[in-house]
Amino acid sequence: MAISLTTSRLLLRPIEAADFPAVSRLWTDPEVRRYLGGPVAEAEVRARERGCVAAPGAFSVVRSADAVVVGMVVVAPDAWEGRAEVSYQLLPEHGGRGYAREAVAAAAEWARTEVASAAVGLVAVTQEANRPSRRLLEALGATLAERFVKWGEPQLLYVFGPGRPPAAR
């Protein structure tokens, strides 16, 4: 069943084929991918495109006012030691407007009540060097739970508290 989520300014809806230009940019733009291991190779982009249309938990973040795709949010059940994980990417020209915060808050609230995982809890992982992502997660009430090195970089695991809805201010 296709799920869509709404905020005051955004629609989070299943990814559609028409979203490929924006979604492909999210996977290949060096600025977007700075803390995500760098741009994805073209062959991998094509493979991801084939699998992302209407994929459960994968949302295009669409600005309601004009239907422009500004980013993507993914909620993956059982991604981290049995817990669901929320991740997000935003196109650079749409940064600084609070869209990521709105989208992640909506996805996190939905995930914590509607996504079944083997273990209780919702997490997010970001590179230690990604200060904007850290500020966003902390503003939404996620707490730092673990530090580790993966993909050659220091990473941080944030946990959204059980039963506490994220602050979507």
Side-chain angles (χ1 to χ4, degrees):
M1 178 164 84
I3 300 292
S4 293
L5 309 171
T6 58
T7 72
S8 62
R9 301 181 297 163
L10 303 172
L11 170 66
L12 281 69
R13 60 157 170 73
I15 297 172
E16 301 172 353
D19 302 338
F20 285 170
V23 171
S24 292
R25 267 194 63 213
L26 290 168
W27 292 327
T28 59
D29 184 285
E31 187 176 341
V32 174
R33 301 292 303 175
R34 178 179 0 176
Y35 301 111
L36 299 170
V40 174
E42 188 65 27
E44 176 68 14
V45 168
R46 298 298 155 235
R48 286 182 180 193
E49 283 180 350
R50 286 190 296 275
C52 75
V53 172
F59 299 96
S60 285
V61 178
V62 181
R63 193 168 47 206
S64 298
D66 56 10
V68 169
V69 176
V70 300
M72 178 172 59
V73 171
V74 176
V75 175
D78 302 322
W80 195 269
E81 298 176 352
R83 293 177 288 185
E85 178 182 5
V86 63
S87 60
Y88 69 96
Q89 297 174 55
L90 196 70
L91 291 168
E93 64 268 24
H94 300 294
R97 295 182 176 98
Y99 296 145
R101 184 179 178 141
E102 274 184 53
V104 173
E109 184 173 352
W110 170 76
R112 291 192 305 158
T113 60
E114 302 297 327
V115 175
S117 289
V120 175
L122 177 67
V123 301
V125 176
T126 191
Q127 265 193 32
E128 187 172 333
N130 190 345
R131 292 188 197 290
S133 184
R134 291 170 59 188
R135 282 192 303 270
L136 182 145
L137 294 171
E138 291 165 3
L140 292 177
T143 56
L144 179 59
E146 187 177 331
R147 295 174 184 271
F148 59 97
V149 175
K150 194 166 185 180
W151 306 292
E153 297 292 336
Q155 307 288 324
L156 303 174
L157 174 74
Y158 281 87
V159 176
F160 290 88
R164 260 188 354 223
R169 294 183 278 228

